[in-house]
Amino acid sequence: MLSRAYVDELCATGIEAGLTRVGVASADPFDDVRAVLEQRKAAGLHGGMQFTYRNPARSTDPARALSGARSIVVGARSYPARLVAGPIGSDTGVPPRPVARVARYATDDHYRLLRDGLHAIAARLQADGWRARVLADDNALVDRAAAHRAGLGWYGKNANLLLPGIGSLVVLGAVLTDAELPATAQPAADGCGPCRRCLDSCPTGAIVTPGIVDARRCLAWLLQAEGDFPEEHREALGDRIYGCDDCQEVCPPNRGALRDGPPVRGGTVELIEMLTLDDDQLLARFGRWYIPRRDPRYLRRNALVVLGNVGDVSQQEVLAAVRRYLHGDDPMLRRHAAWAAGRLGLVAEATA
Ligand code: SF4
C-alpha cells in the first residue's frame, strides 16, 4: 500500500491541472450497483438507454477496463452554470430567430478539460512505474458510483452525485491504476434531508421515487433515444434541444454555482439553421453531442418538436422549415413536422 502522502500529491496534481475535487477508492467490483442496474434494466426503467446499462457486468468491474486495477482516482470538474444572455438575435433590431436551449454541461467540451486533469494524474502514476488508464464520459465505468465510493459526494434524490459545498454541476471521470492507494474517505452522508424539489419540478415526473429516474420519461434521454420522440412528452420538451437542467436548477446545493459561479454564454442554438444544414454540416457542428447512431435525422427530429413549441408562423422561415419536412421524403421527419404544424396552428397542413 502506498502512503497517504503520495495520494495527497496525486490529488494536488489533479487540482493544479484544473480538477475541482479528487478522491481515491478501491477498484473492487461494484456488485451492488450491478444488481441495481440489472434490476432496473429488467423493469424497463432504462428505456433503451445504453451507457453503463449497456453491459453492467463490464461497467461495474474496473478490472475489465484495466487488468489488475487496484485503485480508482476519481476527479470532478465544475462547469460554468450562471447563464448570461446569449448573443443570438439580441442586438440586430429584427425579430429573433427561434432558438433552442442546450443544457449547461453541453455548452462546451467540459470533458476535455476534465480529461486534462485526469491525464496529469495518470502521467504522474506512469512516471512512477504504475499502469494507469483514464476514463471519462465512457461506458466502461460507473463513474458516479466510483465518485461516491471515493467520498466525493452523496446520491441526490435526482440520482445525480452532489458534492458538499459544490453541488451537482460537475463532470466526473476516473483514473484506473494498478497502484494500491489508500482510500481518501468514507462515502459522504446524505445531504438532501427532507427536500424533494427535484421530484416536484421534473417536467414529466421522471423521478419516480427518490433516486430512481425512469428514462422513458426523462427528456434528456428522450432527446438521445432512437425512434419517434414520444408524443405525450413533446409539449413538455419546451425549448430544450439537448439535455435538461430542471432537476439541477431547483436543487438548493447548486444555488451558489447558478447565482455566483463563472458565467456560461451561448447555451442556445438556432432552429432554422439546424433544419437547413446538410448531414455533414450538422455533424460538423453538433458532432460532440450524443446522437443515436450518429444519424443527423435525430437532430432534425428534435429541432422540429422544439420548433413546434417555440416557433412563430408569422415568420416565413419557420413556415418554410415546417413545410419542407412536411413534404419531405423521410417518414419520421414528416410525422414530427405534422405534429409541429398542428402545434403551430397550421391545422389544414398538419392533417393533409
Ligand atoms: Fe436532493 Fe433537493 Fe437537490 Fe433533489 S433538489 S437532489 S432532494 S437537495
Side-chain angles (χ1 to χ4, degrees):
M1 176 81 72
L2 288 156
S3 69
R4 193 156 294 279
Y6 184 70
V7 165
D8 289 346
E9 284 176 32
L10 286 179
C11 294
T13 299
I15 299 289
E16 274 166 31
L19 299 181
T20 310
R21 292 276 161 88
V22 183
V24 173
S26 87
D28 294 341
F30 295 86
D31 292 332
D32 50 343
V33 180
R34 176 178 173 177
V36 168
L37 289 176
E38 286 173 345
Q39 264 169 21
R40 291 186 188 170
K41 206 170 167 181
L45 291 173
H46 71 311
M49 188 186 280
Q50 297 297 321
F51 309 120
T52 52
Y53 276 112
R54 184 193 299 268
N55 185 347
R58 171 171 168 258
S59 62
T60 57
D61 184 0
R64 298 265 196 119
L66 181 81
S67 65
R70 285 178 166 165
S71 308
I72 313 174
V73 185
V74 187
R77 184 183 160 97
S78 298
Y79 51 80
R82 181 165 55 85
L83 287 180
V84 292
I88 297 170
S90 53
D91 53 6
T92 58
V94 296
R97 303 177 89 195
V99 294
R101 207 161 24 120
V102 178
R104 291 168 174 82
Y105 83 91
T107 53
D108 200 351
D109 192 354
H110 300 300
Y111 279 101
R112 180 178 56 76
L113 301 168
L114 173 75
R115 278 190 198 96
D116 289 347
L118 296 171
H119 278 296
I121 293 171
R124 170 69 198 269
L125 284 161
Q126 287 160 346
D128 293 334
W130 304 104
R131 293 164 59 232
R133 180 177 174 194
V134 170
L135 294 175
D137 197 18
D138 193 300
N139 301 338
L141 182 70
V142 283
D143 52 9
R144 284 181 206 179
H148 182 250
R149 185 186 278 176
L152 290 195
W154 78 92
Y155 283 114
K157 290 176 188 164
N158 59 9
N160 285 314
L161 195 85
L162 285 106
L163 281 60
I166 290 179
S168 61
L169 298 163
V170 298
V171 284
L172 299 170
V175 182
L176 300 181
T177 178
D178 58 350
E180 191 173 8
L181 304 168
T184 43
Q186 294 297 309
D190 168 63
C192 287
C195 174
R196 48 170 291 125
R197 289 179 183 217
C198 51
L199 284 94
D200 297 337
S201 74
C202 176
T204 57
I207 307 173
V208 289
T209 195
I212 300 184
V213 175
D214 184 344
R216 294 167 296 189
R217 288 197 241 168
C218 174
L219 295 172
W221 165 244
L222 293 175
L223 285 164
Q224 300 182 5
E226 290 181 45
D228 282 17
F229 195 99
E231 201 157 339
E232 66 271 28
H233 298 314
R234 289 182 193 168
E235 282 191 34
L237 184 66
D239 66 345
R240 302 170 188 82
I241 192 73
Y242 196 72
C244 172
D245 280 335
D246 287 30
C247 67
Q248 302 196 90
E249 281 174 351
V250 297
C251 181
N254 287 336
R255 224 175 257 151
L258 293 168
R259 191 189 50 212
D260 308 321
V264 58
R265 190 183 288 276
T268 53
V269 296
E270 285 201 14
L271 289 165
I272 301 302
E273 181 189 13
M274 285 187 82
L275 290 167
T276 308
L277 296 178
D278 67 26
D279 286 359
D280 291 341
Q281 290 170 324
L282 268 178
L283 289 176
R285 176 104 159 68
F286 301 103
R288 193 159 47 74
W289 291 358
Y290 178 85
I291 305 167
R293 299 183 183 280
R294 309 300 297 161
D295 183 345
R297 293 164 64 240
Y298 287 111
L299 294 170
R300 298 188 184 105
R301 175 201 67 177
N302 297 342
L304 283 167
V305 176
V306 179
L307 190 64
N309 287 329
V310 305
D312 175 352
V313 281
S314 70
Q315 291 185 321
Q316 273 308 312
E317 54 188 0
V318 171
L319 208 49
V322 173
R323 285 180 176 156
R324 177 177 167 200
Y325 288 98
L326 204 50
H327 303 296
D329 55 10
D330 183 319
M332 179 179 76
L333 298 182
R334 275 205 307 271
R335 287 193 295 277
H336 288 76
W339 181 86
R343 178 107 168 101
L344 292 169
L346 303 169
V347 180
E349 306 209 24
T351 54

